[in-house]
């Protein structure tokens, strides 16, 4: 089993999983059941998408094509406008 993607959130993990499965590569999301274990506190670094070792090269190309780049490191602040609504 090879970890092909480390996800920041459940949506990205499942997006990668389904893209891999659409290409015929079996994929599994590790750590999904741990998300509720910390209550309402965020738990980072536990979501990983695993694939069989034999599909590594093809899977890495698929994940790269998804372009799941990370957002800016700065957190959202109260001063940020959301769709023109007052902060």
């Amino acid at each position: 089993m090879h970890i092909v993607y480390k996800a920041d959130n459940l949506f990205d993990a499942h997006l990668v999983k389904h893209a891999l499965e659409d290409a015929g590569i079996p994929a599994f999301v590790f750590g999904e059941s741990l998300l509720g274990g910390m209550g309402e506190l965020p738990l980072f670094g536990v979501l990983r998408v695993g694939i069989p070792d034999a599909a590594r090269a093809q899977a890495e190309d698929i994940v790269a094509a998804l372009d799941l780049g990370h957002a800016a490191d700065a957190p959202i602040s109260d001063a940020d406008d959301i769709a023109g609504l007052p902060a």
Side-chain angles (χ1 to χ4, degrees):
M1 183 71 54
H2 173 72
I3 302 301
V4 72
Y5 185 73
K6 293 179 183 175
D8 291 333
N9 58 65
L10 194 56
F11 297 111
D12 285 350
H14 278 278
L15 179 70
V16 169
K17 177 183 185 274
H18 291 296
L20 293 167
E21 289 176 339
D22 285 346
I25 300 171
F28 183 78
V29 176
F30 293 100
E32 185 173 4
S33 60
L34 297 174
L35 292 180
M38 293 295 292
E40 294 184 24
L41 297 175
L43 187 60
F44 299 103
V46 297
L47 292 172
R48 300 167 319 279
V49 180
I51 49 103
D53 290 329
R56 182 178 182 171
Q58 182 185 5
E60 288 176 349
D61 290 342
I62 292 168
V63 172
L66 291 174
D67 193 27
L68 296 172
H70 296 289
D73 291 335
I76 297 172
S77 72
D78 291 336
D80 292 338
D81 288 337
I82 300 173
L85 298 174

